[in-house]
Amino acid sequence: MGIVEEAHNLRVVGEGKRGVIVLAHGFGTDQSVWKHLVPHLVADYRVVLFDTMGAGPTNPDYFDFSRYATLEGYALDLLAILEELGVASCIYVGHSVSAVIGVLASISRPDLFSKLVLLSASPRYLNDVDYYGGFEQEELDELFEAMRSNYKAWCSGFAPLCVGGDMESVSVQEFSRTLFNIRPDIALSVAQTIFQSDVRSLLPLVTVACHIVQSTKDLAVPVAVSEYLHKHLGGDSIVEVMPSEGHLPQLSSPDIVTPVLLRHIQHDIAF
């Protein structure tokens, strides 16, 4: 087993002849978040699953705080995974921060991506002049302090807010489990990298077609952000806003998001 394969718990499932699909999870989850989608793909595609560095199932000894202080470190990981597997072209489905990671990787190597399906993506979480990202700096500072002071208590409060539901729901319990699995200092570092990131200036450099998929109610990403992406991405793009709630519709609304993702995966849109 190579270092890339081991570090990211790399898995390839399916024998499909229609090509390669890469599924990349967001903050606080791991590759298990795609469990409702994968069974619909394996007959037609080779499906690549992996854990981003710092996720609970990864070895914390591999987490380089300097490398992952910017999203570029994760984009380099993604390119290394594709190289390790010998992938010449793929459909990339990225959730949350991994949507942006895919965007960055596609700027460096557009030839490796036939399309990007961006679920709950944001190029910047902080509000700015003429830009509504959803958060003020004071709110993020409070979030970071809560993580720093009592990580487990923060998880218990953050999970239901992020997923959209109460602590008794299966989806909230699942997200709580994967959040708890992350080492607290790593979780704080990753959260700071994500929430302080700003890739707006790079969006015009994207040439790969992008399918932007967004929930109507998302704690972390307002609907206005999906329209911002659509307007500023350099290549063709399309937006679909789903009647789902929460930042993790794969868990909270699989009956809604799964057919939507399948449609965007399987069909190119006439732009």
Side-chain angles (χ1 to χ4, degrees), residues 143-187:
L143 182 150
F144 301 146
E145 182 52 40
M147 293 181 73
R148 190 179 292 111
S149 60
N150 190 330
Y151 180 66
K152 288 199 171 185
W154 175 80
C155 289
S156 297
F158 183 71
L161 283 174
C162 194
V163 175
D166 57 48
M167 279 301 293
E168 303 307 312
S169 73
V170 173
S171 56
V172 171
Q173 288 183 4
E174 175 67 12
F175 185 47
S176 296
R177 178 187 67 80
T178 53
L179 266 180
F180 281 139
N181 282 343
I182 306 173
R183 205 173 77 186
D185 59 331
I186 291 176

Tab-separated table of all heavy atoms in Angstrom, residues 143-187:
chain	number	residue	atom	x	y	z
A	143	LEU	N	-16.858	31.054	17.427
A	143	LEU	CA	-16.876	29.635	17.061
A	143	LEU	C	-15.534	28.983	17.388
A	143	LEU	O	-15.483	27.915	18.001
A	143	LEU	CB	-17.194	29.507	15.570
A	143	LEU	CG	-17.308	28.112	14.953
A	143	LEU	CD1	-18.296	28.137	13.783
A	143	LEU	CD2	-15.959	27.585	14.453
A	144	PHE	N	-14.436	29.644	17.000
A	144	PHE	CA	-13.101	29.088	17.259
A	144	PHE	C	-12.834	28.973	18.763
A	144	PHE	O	-12.252	27.990	19.219
A	144	PHE	CB	-12.023	29.953	16.605
A	144	PHE	CG	-12.149	30.091	15.118
A	144	PHE	CD1	-11.779	31.273	14.479
A	144	PHE	CD2	-12.642	29.045	14.341
A	144	PHE	CE1	-11.901	31.415	13.107
A	144	PHE	CE2	-12.766	29.173	12.960
A	144	PHE	CZ	-12.393	30.370	12.348
A	145	GLU	N	-13.264	29.968	19.519
A	145	GLU	CA	-13.046	29.939	20.969
A	145	GLU	C	-13.838	28.814	21.614
A	145	GLU	O	-13.354	28.142	22.531
A	145	GLU	CB	-13.425	31.287	21.589
A	145	GLU	CG	-13.184	31.376	23.092
A	145	GLU	CD	-11.771	30.976	23.512
A	145	GLU	OE1	-10.808	31.326	22.804
A	145	GLU	OE2	-11.639	30.302	24.565
A	146	ALA	N	-15.053	28.591	21.135
A	146	ALA	CA	-15.869	27.495	21.665
A	146	ALA	C	-15.218	26.148	21.376
A	146	ALA	O	-15.204	25.250	22.224
A	146	ALA	CB	-17.270	27.560	21.072
A	147	MET	N	-14.654	25.994	20.186
A	147	MET	CA	-13.949	24.757	19.852
A	147	MET	C	-12.728	24.573	20.736
A	147	MET	O	-12.423	23.462	21.192
A	147	MET	CB	-13.514	24.787	18.377
A	147	MET	CG	-14.641	24.762	17.365
A	147	MET	SD	-14.034	24.765	15.654
A	147	MET	CE	-13.407	23.088	15.495
A	148	ARG	N	-12.034	25.667	20.981
A	148	ARG	CA	-10.797	25.629	21.748
A	148	ARG	C	-11.065	25.308	23.224
A	148	ARG	O	-10.311	24.539	23.849
A	148	ARG	CB	-10.083	26.980	21.628
A	148	ARG	CG	-8.673	27.017	22.185
A	148	ARG	CD	-8.056	28.389	21.997
A	148	ARG	NE	-7.799	28.724	20.594
A	148	ARG	CZ	-8.448	29.658	19.906
A	148	ARG	NH1	-9.414	30.375	20.478
A	148	ARG	NH2	-8.147	29.899	18.643
A	149	SER	N	-12.130	25.839	23.764
A	149	SER	CA	-12.369	25.729	25.200
A	149	SER	C	-13.002	24.392	25.597
A	149	SER	O	-12.679	23.833	26.648
A	149	SER	CB	-13.246	26.880	25.690
A	149	SER	OG	-14.499	26.857	25.028
A	150	ASN	N	-13.913	23.875	24.775
A	150	ASN	CA	-14.562	22.594	25.093
A	150	ASN	C	-15.061	21.974	23.801
A	150	ASN	O	-16.201	22.196	23.393
A	150	ASN	CB	-15.710	22.795	26.083
A	150	ASN	CG	-16.240	21.470	26.629
A	150	ASN	OD1	-16.194	20.441	25.967
A	150	ASN	ND2	-16.758	21.500	27.853
A	151	TYR	N	-14.203	21.203	23.165
A	151	TYR	CA	-14.504	20.701	21.831
A	151	TYR	C	-15.744	19.808	21.822
A	151	TYR	O	-16.606	19.929	20.943
A	151	TYR	CB	-13.301	19.947	21.264
A	151	TYR	CG	-13.541	19.401	19.873
A	151	TYR	CD1	-13.720	20.270	18.792
A	151	TYR	CD2	-13.622	18.028	19.636
A	151	TYR	CE1	-13.959	19.788	17.506
A	151	TYR	CE2	-13.858	17.540	18.358
A	151	TYR	CZ	-14.029	18.428	17.302
A	151	TYR	OH	-14.278	17.940	16.039
A	152	LYS	N	-15.865	18.921	22.794
A	152	LYS	CA	-17.007	18.001	22.799
A	152	LYS	C	-18.326	18.743	22.987
A	152	LYS	O	-19.332	18.420	22.341
A	152	LYS	CB	-16.832	16.927	23.872
A	152	LYS	CG	-15.755	15.913	23.521
A	152	LYS	CD	-15.900	14.639	24.313
A	152	LYS	CE	-14.958	13.566	23.781
A	152	LYS	NZ	-15.152	12.273	24.459
A	153	ALA	N	-18.315	19.735	23.841
A	153	ALA	CA	-19.532	20.532	24.028
A	153	ALA	C	-19.871	21.293	22.752
A	153	ALA	O	-21.043	21.407	22.364
A	153	ALA	CB	-19.349	21.504	25.196
A	154	TRP	N	-18.836	21.807	22.084
A	154	TRP	CA	-19.067	22.513	20.820
A	154	TRP	C	-19.685	21.573	19.785
A	154	TRP	O	-20.629	21.944	19.086
A	154	TRP	CB	-17.755	23.088	20.291
A	154	TRP	CG	-17.922	23.705	18.944
A	154	TRP	CD1	-18.426	24.935	18.637
A	154	TRP	CD2	-17.626	23.075	17.678
A	154	TRP	NE1	-18.452	25.130	17.272
A	154	TRP	CE2	-17.965	24.002	16.658
A	154	TRP	CE3	-17.093	21.837	17.317
A	154	TRP	CZ2	-17.808	23.717	15.307
A	154	TRP	CZ3	-16.932	21.550	15.961
A	154	TRP	CH2	-17.278	22.481	14.978
A	155	CYS	N	-19.156	20.362	19.675
A	155	CYS	CA	-19.696	19.383	18.727
A	155	CYS	C	-21.179	19.137	18.974
A	155	CYS	O	-21.980	19.074	18.028
A	155	CYS	CB	-18.944	18.055	18.833
A	155	CYS	SG	-17.264	18.068	18.198
A	156	SER	N	-21.543	18.996	20.250
A	156	SER	CA	-22.930	18.701	20.594
A	156	SER	C	-23.869	19.825	20.189
A	156	SER	O	-25.033	19.583	19.851
A	156	SER	CB	-23.055	18.447	22.104
A	156	SER	OG	-22.313	17.312	22.476
A	157	GLY	N	-23.371	21.054	20.207
A	157	GLY	CA	-24.191	22.181	19.792
A	157	GLY	C	-24.149	22.429	18.301
A	157	GLY	O	-25.158	22.823	17.692
A	158	PHE	N	-22.988	22.184	17.686
A	158	PHE	CA	-22.802	22.488	16.272
A	158	PHE	C	-23.505	21.479	15.371
A	158	PHE	O	-24.065	21.852	14.323
A	158	PHE	CB	-21.303	22.519	15.959
A	158	PHE	CG	-20.966	22.884	14.539
A	158	PHE	CD1	-21.142	24.182	14.073
A	158	PHE	CD2	-20.452	21.930	13.658
A	158	PHE	CE1	-20.821	24.526	12.762
A	158	PHE	CE2	-20.127	22.265	12.348
A	158	PHE	CZ	-20.311	23.569	11.906
A	159	ALA	N	-23.494	20.209	15.756
A	159	ALA	CA	-24.033	19.155	14.888
A	159	ALA	C	-25.500	19.383	14.517
A	159	ALA	O	-25.845	19.362	13.334
A	159	ALA	CB	-23.828	17.785	15.532
A	160	PRO	N	-26.398	19.604	15.490
A	160	PRO	CA	-27.797	19.820	15.096
A	160	PRO	C	-28.007	21.102	14.297
A	160	PRO	O	-28.871	21.154	13.420
A	160	PRO	CB	-28.548	19.861	16.434
A	160	PRO	CG	-27.518	20.113	17.473
A	160	PRO	CD	-26.249	19.530	16.953
A	161	LEU	N	-27.226	22.139	14.582
A	161	LEU	CA	-27.342	23.377	13.813
A	161	LEU	C	-26.929	23.162	12.362
A	161	LEU	O	-27.575	23.641	11.426
A	161	LEU	CB	-26.462	24.469	14.432
A	161	LEU	CG	-26.981	25.162	15.691
A	161	LEU	CD1	-25.916	26.105	16.227
A	161	LEU	CD2	-28.264	25.915	15.398
A	162	CYS	N	-25.839	22.432	12.174
A	162	CYS	CA	-25.284	22.245	10.843
A	162	CYS	C	-26.151	21.310	9.998
A	162	CYS	O	-26.404	21.570	8.816
A	162	CYS	CB	-23.866	21.682	10.951
A	162	CYS	SG	-22.914	21.779	9.427
A	163	VAL	N	-26.606	20.223	10.603
A	163	VAL	CA	-27.395	19.235	9.869
A	163	VAL	C	-28.835	19.713	9.697
A	163	VAL	O	-29.454	19.513	8.656
A	163	VAL	CB	-27.357	17.866	10.589
A	163	VAL	CG1	-28.275	16.870	9.897
A	163	VAL	CG2	-25.930	17.337	10.637
A	164	GLY	N	-29.365	20.363	10.733
A	164	GLY	CA	-30.758	20.769	10.723
A	164	GLY	C	-31.615	19.668	11.325
A	164	GLY	O	-32.146	18.819	10.621
A	165	GLY	N	-31.736	19.666	12.649
A	165	GLY	CA	-32.473	18.603	13.333
A	165	GLY	C	-32.083	18.586	14.797
A	165	GLY	O	-31.264	19.389	15.245
A	166	ASP	N	-32.663	17.659	15.576
A	166	ASP	CA	-32.313	17.565	16.987
A	166	ASP	C	-31.322	16.429	17.207
A	166	ASP	O	-31.060	15.626	16.317
A	166	ASP	CB	-33.564	17.380	17.861
A	166	ASP	CG	-34.375	16.155	17.462
A	166	ASP	OD1	-33.776	15.074	17.304
A	166	ASP	OD2	-35.600	16.276	17.299
A	167	MET	N	-30.800	16.378	18.417
A	167	MET	CA	-29.733	15.414	18.721
A	167	MET	C	-30.201	13.968	18.615
A	167	MET	O	-29.391	13.052	18.526
A	167	MET	CB	-29.167	15.673	20.117
A	167	MET	CG	-28.149	16.802	20.178
A	167	MET	SD	-26.701	16.544	19.122
A	167	MET	CE	-25.923	15.140	19.932
A	168	GLU	N	-31.513	13.748	18.616
A	168	GLU	CA	-32.024	12.388	18.566
A	168	GLU	C	-32.100	11.846	17.142
A	168	GLU	O	-32.255	10.648	16.939
A	168	GLU	CB	-33.428	12.337	19.205
A	168	GLU	CG	-33.477	12.831	20.646
A	168	GLU	CD	-32.458	12.129	21.527
A	168	GLU	OE1	-32.381	10.885	21.476
A	168	GLU	OE2	-31.728	12.834	22.255
A	169	SER	N	-32.000	12.727	16.148
A	169	SER	CA	-32.129	12.268	14.768
A	169	SER	C	-30.893	11.473	14.357
A	169	SER	O	-29.778	11.732	14.814
A	169	SER	CB	-32.342	13.448	13.823
A	169	SER	OG	-31.149	14.179	13.654
A	170	VAL	N	-31.103	10.501	13.483
A	170	VAL	CA	-30.015	9.636	13.028
A	170	VAL	C	-28.932	10.449	12.322
A	170	VAL	O	-27.736	10.224	12.524
A	170	VAL	CB	-30.559	8.531	12.096
A	170	VAL	CG1	-29.416	7.731	11.480
A	170	VAL	CG2	-31.496	7.609	12.855
A	171	SER	N	-29.348	11.424	11.498
A	171	SER	CA	-28.377	12.199	10.736
A	171	SER	C	-27.502	13.055	11.642
A	171	SER	O	-26.299	13.177	11.427
A	171	SER	CB	-29.089	13.070	9.700
A	171	SER	OG	-30.051	13.909	10.299
A	172	VAL	N	-28.097	13.654	12.689
A	172	VAL	CA	-27.318	14.462	13.627
A	172	VAL	C	-26.371	13.578	14.427
A	172	VAL	O	-25.210	13.933	14.659
A	172	VAL	CB	-28.240	15.268	14.560
A	172	VAL	CG1	-27.436	15.937	15.674
A	172	VAL	CG2	-29.012	16.322	13.778
A	173	GLN	N	-26.842	12.419	14.837
A	173	GLN	CA	-25.975	11.498	15.580
A	173	GLN	C	-24.802	11.032	14.715
A	173	GLN	O	-23.678	10.888	15.198
A	173	GLN	CB	-26.787	10.301	16.076
A	173	GLN	CG	-27.745	10.657	17.213
A	173	GLN	CD	-28.501	9.447	17.741
A	173	GLN	OE1	-28.264	8.324	17.321
A	173	GLN	NE2	-29.416	9.681	18.659
A	174	GLU	N	-25.063	10.817	13.434
A	174	GLU	CA	-23.990	10.394	12.525
A	174	GLU	C	-22.952	11.495	12.375
A	174	GLU	O	-21.742	11.235	12.427
A	174	GLU	CB	-24.592	10.034	11.162
A	174	GLU	CG	-23.576	9.683	10.092
A	174	GLU	CD	-22.827	8.402	10.352
A	174	GLU	OE1	-23.219	7.624	11.256
A	174	GLU	OE2	-21.819	8.156	9.660
A	175	PHE	N	-23.401	12.738	12.188
A	175	PHE	CA	-22.462	13.845	12.065
A	175	PHE	C	-21.715	14.071	13.371
A	175	PHE	O	-20.511	14.354	13.368
A	175	PHE	CB	-23.195	15.117	11.638
A	175	PHE	CG	-22.275	16.289	11.375
A	175	PHE	CD1	-21.137	16.145	10.600
A	175	PHE	CD2	-22.560	17.536	11.907
A	175	PHE	CE1	-20.286	17.223	10.351
A	175	PHE	CE2	-21.724	18.620	11.668
A	175	PHE	CZ	-20.585	18.461	10.893
A	176	SER	N	-22.399	13.937	14.499
A	176	SER	CA	-21.738	14.073	15.805
A	176	SER	C	-20.622	13.047	15.944
A	176	SER	O	-19.533	13.352	16.442
A	176	SER	CB	-22.748	13.888	16.940
A	176	SER	OG	-23.730	14.891	16.921
A	177	ARG	N	-20.886	11.820	15.485
A	177	ARG	CA	-19.883	10.754	15.587
A	177	ARG	C	-18.617	11.108	14.820
A	177	ARG	O	-17.501	10.979	15.342
A	177	ARG	CB	-20.468	9.437	15.053
A	177	ARG	CG	-19.480	8.271	15.069
A	177	ARG	CD	-20.045	7.048	14.367
A	177	ARG	NE	-20.214	7.256	12.936
A	177	ARG	CZ	-19.225	7.172	12.049
A	177	ARG	NH1	-17.975	6.911	12.447
A	177	ARG	NH2	-19.463	7.365	10.765
A	178	THR	N	-18.783	11.570	13.573
A	178	THR	CA	-17.600	11.868	12.770
A	178	THR	C	-16.883	13.131	13.266
A	178	THR	O	-15.660	13.222	13.180
A	178	THR	CB	-17.958	11.990	11.278
A	178	THR	OG1	-19.028	12.931	11.110
A	178	THR	CG2	-18.387	10.637	10.716
A	179	LEU	N	-17.646	14.080	13.813
A	179	LEU	CA	-17.020	15.266	14.417
A	179	LEU	C	-16.175	14.878	15.626
A	179	LEU	O	-15.033	15.319	15.774
A	179	LEU	CB	-18.091	16.261	14.865
A	179	LEU	CG	-18.519	17.391	13.941
A	179	LEU	CD1	-19.587	18.232	14.643
A	179	LEU	CD2	-17.355	18.268	13.526
A	180	PHE	N	-16.753	14.043	16.511
A	180	PHE	CA	-16.054	13.621	17.723
A	180	PHE	C	-14.763	12.872	17.399
A	180	PHE	O	-13.821	12.867	18.184
A	180	PHE	CB	-16.952	12.702	18.572
A	180	PHE	CG	-17.988	13.431	19.381
A	180	PHE	CD1	-19.275	12.922	19.480
A	180	PHE	CD2	-17.696	14.604	20.050
A	180	PHE	CE1	-20.244	13.574	20.222
A	180	PHE	CE2	-18.656	15.269	20.801
A	180	PHE	CZ	-19.939	14.748	20.885
A	181	ASN	N	-14.738	12.221	16.232
A	181	ASN	CA	-13.584	11.402	15.862
A	181	ASN	C	-12.355	12.224	15.468
A	181	ASN	O	-11.256	11.679	15.352
A	181	ASN	CB	-13.944	10.463	14.705
A	181	ASN	CG	-14.742	9.267	15.164
A	181	ASN	OD1	-14.777	8.954	16.352
A	181	ASN	ND2	-15.407	8.596	14.239
A	182	ILE	N	-12.537	13.528	15.252
A	182	ILE	CA	-11.412	14.379	14.848
A	182	ILE	C	-10.673	14.866	16.102
A	182	ILE	O	-11.303	15.301	17.071
A	182	ILE	CB	-11.906	15.600	14.046
A	182	ILE	CG1	-12.763	15.158	12.865
A	182	ILE	CG2	-10.706	16.417	13.537
A	182	ILE	CD1	-13.432	16.303	12.131
A	183	ARG	N	-9.367	14.798	16.070
A	183	ARG	CA	-8.594	15.306	17.209
A	183	ARG	C	-8.856	16.803	17.350
A	183	ARG	O	-8.795	17.546	16.355
A	183	ARG	CB	-7.103	15.038	16.988
A	183	ARG	CG	-6.304	14.961	18.286
A	183	ARG	CD	-4.888	14.538	18.027
A	183	ARG	NE	-4.080	15.636	17.503
A	183	ARG	CZ	-2.823	15.517	17.088
A	183	ARG	NH1	-2.242	14.329	17.115
A	183	ARG	NH2	-2.151	16.569	16.637
A	184	PRO	N	-9.167	17.293	18.551
A	184	PRO	CA	-9.620	18.679	18.717
A	184	PRO	C	-8.699	19.746	18.152
A	184	PRO	O	-9.164	20.705	17.531
A	184	PRO	CB	-9.769	18.816	20.233
A	184	PRO	CG	-10.109	17.445	20.702
A	184	PRO	CD	-9.305	16.527	19.817
A	185	ASP	N	-7.388	19.602	18.336
A	185	ASP	CA	-6.486	20.638	17.819
A	185	ASP	C	-6.460	20.642	16.294
A	185	ASP	O	-6.349	21.700	15.665
A	185	ASP	CB	-5.072	20.473	18.383
A	185	ASP	CG	-4.448	19.124	18.055
A	185	ASP	OD1	-5.202	18.131	17.902
A	185	ASP	OD2	-3.215	19.044	17.950
A	186	ILE	N	-6.612	19.462	15.698
A	186	ILE	CA	-6.681	19.380	14.241
A	186	ILE	C	-7.992	19.970	13.742
A	186	ILE	O	-8.024	20.721	12.764
A	186	ILE	CB	-6.508	17.922	13.769
A	186	ILE	CG1	-5.074	17.456	14.035
A	186	ILE	CG2	-6.868	17.773	12.291
A	186	ILE	CD1	-4.814	16.002	13.698
A	187	ALA	N	-9.087	19.658	14.424
A	187	ALA	CA	-10.396	20.204	14.031
A	187	ALA	C	-10.382	21.726	14.046
A	187	ALA	O	-10.898	22.372	13.124
A	187	ALA	CB	-11.483	19.676	14.962
